[in-house]
Amino acid sequence: MIRQKRTFSQRLKNRALLVLLLPFVLPLGFLAVTLHLLYRIVLYLLVWTLWLPRGKDILFVYSDSPICREYMETQVLPLVQERAVVLNWSERKRWLTWSLGVAVFRHFGGHREFNPLVVLFRPVRSARIFRFWPAFKDLEHGYNGPVERLRQDLLSAL
C-alpha cells in the first residue's frame, strides 16, 4: 500500500481545524475528568460512611464460571465473607441498578479483567484492587502460581 503525501494546503486545513476546535474540546475534556474524579470521591465517601462502620470494607465479585467459582468460594470468600459485600456476576440481571455495591463495582472494576475481583477499602486511603482474571487464565493452563500469589497478597493486605 502506497502512502499518499498530504499537500501543504491539506496540512494547513487540518491544523486550522484543530486550532478552531481546541477551545471547545479542552474544556469538555477538563469537565469529563473533573466529573470522573468527583464521582470517585463520592463513591469513596459513601463506602467510608456507609460500609466501613458496619464492618464491610470489601467488595467481592465472582461468577458461576467453572474455571473460578469453586476456587473463589472455597479459598478466597472464607477469608473475606464477614467483611464483604458480595456480587455474583452471573446474577447481574437481578442486581439493583442504583445500589452502592453495583456502582462501586462498575467504577472500580473497569471494563476488562473485572471478574473475579476483590476491592479492599481502607479509611482515608485508596482502595486495593485484586484482579483474579489473569491469574485464572494461567490456572486454566495448569499454572497455579499467580492465583496463589494473588491470594497470599490479599491475605497479607487483610
Side-chain angles (χ1 to χ4, degrees):
M1 179 180 264
I2 299 173
R3 188 174 175 187
Q4 294 179 349
K5 291 185 178 182
R6 290 192 235 165
T7 65
F8 177 75
S9 63
Q10 287 173 326
R11 287 193 308 248
L12 188 61
K13 286 179 189 176
N14 288 344
R15 288 186 180 136
L17 183 62
L18 180 65
V19 168
L20 287 174
L21 290 178
L22 210 53
F24 300 105
V25 173
L26 281 178
L28 287 176
F30 179 75
L31 180 65
V33 168
T34 302
L35 290 175
H36 178 77
L37 290 174
L38 283 174
Y39 183 66
R40 188 178 191 93
I41 290 168
V42 167
L43 284 177
Y44 269 117
L45 290 173
L46 287 172
V47 167
W48 293 338
T49 57
L50 298 177
W51 283 4
L52 294 185
R54 294 188 348 218
K56 302 291 184 184
D57 62 348
I58 293 173
L59 175 67
F60 179 87
V61 181
Y62 73 112
S63 70
D64 293 337
S65 164
I67 298 166
C68 64
R69 180 180 182 185
E70 183 181 345
Y71 184 88
M72 292 302 287
E73 286 183 344
T74 61
Q75 301 297 317
V76 180
L77 186 56
L79 300 174
V80 300
Q81 193 162 15
E82 298 297 318
R83 304 165 56 172
V85 172
V86 179
L87 293 174
N88 185 331
W89 175 253
S90 300
E91 298 172 1
R92 65 189 174 276
K93 291 192 188 274
R94 290 185 259 159
W95 290 355
L96 299 173
T97 306
W98 296 104
S99 73
L100 180 57
V102 172
V104 168
F105 166 69
R106 289 193 176 131
H107 185 76
F108 289 95
H111 299 289
R112 293 186 179 165
E113 301 178 355
F114 57 80
N115 178 34
L117 174 81
V118 175
V119 182
L120 172 63
F121 290 95
R122 301 162 298 180
V124 196
R125 292 192 308 199
S126 59
R128 293 241 356 233
I129 301 172
F130 299 88
R131 296 181 187 278
F132 282 83
W133 187 83
F136 276 109
K137 285 308 220 182
D138 289 335
L139 187 63
E140 208 174 7
H141 299 292
Y143 184 54
N144 69 343
V147 75
E148 285 302 319
R149 264 194 307 283
L150 196 52
R151 182 180 174 276
Q152 287 302 318
D153 289 347
L154 175 61
L155 191 57
S156 65
L158 296 174

